[in-house]
Amino acid sequence: MSITKTLRASALAASLAIALGMAFTPTPAAAATASTTGSTTFSVILQPTTLLYYYSAINLTVPSSALLALAGGAPTALGAQGLTATGTASTLSATAATFAPGAPGSISAVGLTLGNVWAVRSITTPTSGTTSVSVSFSSSTTQASATLNGSTTGSSIALSSLATSPTSFNGTGLGGTPQVGNVTMTMDLSNAKTAETYSGATIYITASST
């Protein structure tokens, strides 16, 4: 009899515990509905940049017609010359006075312009920044003269007064229309004695932006 009461009491206690547990089970929390916004300033900083386009070699051909024009044009008659022959039983000879042709035009100071031989795209600072371009016959110093040599000793072309234009300009933008430039110099052709290629000079083009 006591065993039966004990079992009933235990069953009642278990049922009560289960009922209480079900009554106090917490319900899930509702999903959060509040939001917040933050802001971050964003900027892009560009440094001065220079993009140079140039030819790895320039081969200039000067035709005979241009050389003749530089040398004074077409052959010129210098007037009549009276000669008196001397000779032997089988030969005669007559020698004119010292021949004195006119000056050979501008053959010793020929101005040369190489147009559109470099181009630059650049980004510069907005206030006083510019892009500068310079040329030299030396990679380390400003050298405005050089010599082109032929294969014959003493046959050469002297170069001087190397310059470029423009020497400075505003930034074009890396995607904009590039700034193109010319290179000028003076050639002395008076010692060029052979029709061939004269070589031995390199033009260094330097472009920089601030």
Side-chain angles (χ1 to χ4, degrees), residues 90-155:
S90 59
T91 63
L92 290 174
S93 64
T95 302
T98 301
F99 201 87
S106 58
I107 202 73
S108 61
V110 180
L112 172 65
T113 297
L114 302 175
N116 299 337
V117 294
W118 58 258
V120 167
R121 285 190 171 100
S122 62
I123 290 178
T124 58
T125 53
T127 52
S128 60
T130 58
T131 297
S132 300
V133 178
S134 62
V135 291
S136 175
F137 284 122
S138 170
S139 61
S140 58
T141 61
T142 301
Q143 182 175 322
S145 61
T147 301
L148 300 174
N149 294 304
S151 61
T152 302
T153 301
S155 185

Side-chain angles (χ1 to χ4, degrees), residues 137 144-145 159-163 184-186:
F137 284 122
S145 61
L159 308 176
S160 61
S161 304
L162 180 68
T184 60
M185 68 187 78
T186 299

